Amino acid sequence: MYLEWNVAADEENLMLRTFLRGKFVSKLLLTSVKFSEDGKIEVNGKEENVLYRVKTGDHVRITFPKEQENELLIAEYGELPIVFEDDFILVLDKPAGMTSIPSQYHPSGSVANHLKGHYLKNKIDSAIHIVTRLDKETSGLMLIAKTRYAHGRLSTLHQAGHVTRKYQALVSGNMETRSGSIIAPIGRNPESLIERAVVADGKYARTNYEVLASYPTFDHVKIQLETGRTHQIRVHFAHVGHPLVGDSMYGGPTELVQRHALHSCHLELIHPFTEEKMAWDSELASDLAAILTEHK
């Protein structure tokens, strides 16, 4: 896999490493290219040192080392609901009940297992870098980077607020306000290996919400995350007394559905290479949509 650029007039005389850093090629990635057998940096078809000073019109090409495959990851070949894919990123619409990555006691059945099978079947020389991981029972849009370059670039864009994620959820009871923000630090629950909680020494977390519709025992809400802490939405709504419907871990009622009622409905980003603004939407999962229909 490679990237290439033509040097512009305002980039004249930059050192090659500075030029590449300006293209969001990290220092770590440059080092991996330098010390690999199959990576190289070329200017006008000739390998060059990173101290080379570029000239207007130079054609720069960087060939990345082959992505390291996880040999222990079991490849599976079931259908994946892919909504977009190119050489850099992949977006899929994950069903509820599928984990993002395998675990020690459940080494198969995850998104990562199926992605490996997809890559092998289609002879795609890429790795699996999950950018927006979803809990097992959360349905909807997930973002995958296919190279270290794309992953690093997307992480930077994410931190700068250029990756937007929106969700729909059913929360128990009725919210006191039609819209607002839940701001509370999240960390590990000291009494659990899995659960998170609002704790004084936790990391800053902010969840913005808008009530779309109210029902006698729950609200249908739209949510936008400004941070991405583990279990953030689930913890925040439980913290304010409105745990997600179906979320038994955080005290939500389970009469209507046996999984937490959360769906990743919108993903928006700046492409890590083309810098094009892209967006995808996913309709509310059928089990959650059925609950709304039944309670109209």
Side-chain angles (χ1 to χ4, degrees), residues 74-196:
I74 300 168
E76 295 186 66
Y77 296 91
E79 289 297 316
L80 264 181
I82 296 171
V83 297
F84 177 83
E85 182 178 14
D86 65 10
D87 290 340
F88 300 91
I89 63 174
L90 183 149
V91 178
L92 59 86
D93 200 343
K94 186 183 85 67
M98 177 181 276
T99 58
S100 293
I101 58 173
S103 64
Q104 180 180 355
Y105 300 107
H106 299 93
S108 62
S110 75
V111 168
N113 294 114
H114 285 83
L115 281 173
K116 183 172 183 179
H118 171 69
Y119 289 169
L120 291 175
K121 178 181 177 181
N122 294 283
K123 297 181 172 57
I124 299 170
D125 183 20
S126 293
I128 300 164
H129 304 278
I130 296 178
V131 181
T132 58
R133 186 183 300 185
L134 296 181
D135 294 337
K136 178 181 179 180
E137 299 304 332
T138 303
S139 52
L141 298 170
M142 270 184 72
L143 174 61
I144 316 295
K146 298 175 73 175
T147 68
R148 282 177 289 173
Y149 169 83
H151 191 214
R153 178 73 175 124
L154 285 168
S155 295
T156 300
L157 289 167
H158 200 177
Q159 291 169 8
H162 297 305
V163 176
T164 300
R165 294 170 294 157
K166 294 181 181 179
Y167 295 77
Q168 291 186 51
L170 308 183
V171 302
S172 58
N174 298 123
M175 301 294 293
E176 287 69 26
T177 55
R178 302 296 294 178
S179 63
S181 299
I182 305 170
I183 305 171
I186 293 176
R188 290 188 177 276
N189 182 340
E191 298 180 0
S192 172
L193 294 175
I194 299 173
E195 294 179 29
R196 300 306 197 265

Side-chain angles (χ1 to χ4, degrees), residues 4-56:
E4 51 190 355
W5 307 267
N6 290 319
V7 177
D10 61 354
E11 296 168 321
E12 173 84 32
N13 207 40
L14 288 176
M15 281 196 294
L16 185 53
R17 68 184 178 194
T18 305
F19 172 83
L20 290 170
R21 290 298 297 276
K23 305 303 180 185
F24 309 105
V25 179
S26 69
K27 183 178 179 180
L28 184 62
L29 192 50
L30 277 177
T31 301
S32 72
V33 171
K34 181 178 178 181
F35 292 103
S36 70
E37 293 182 2
D38 49 352
K40 56 184 175 179
I41 303 170
E42 300 169 283
V43 179
N44 303 324
K46 177 186 175 183
E47 285 200 57
E48 291 288 357
N49 186 281
V50 292
L51 300 180
Y52 170 87
R53 291 195 176 271
V54 299
K55 303 175 183 63
T56 303

Side-chain angles (χ1 to χ4, degrees), residues 86 162 188 217-218 223 243 247 261 265 283 296:
D86 65 10
H162 297 305
R188 290 188 177 276
T217 61
F218 65 89
I223 299 160
D247 193 357
C265 65
E283 291 187 3
K296 278 186 177 179

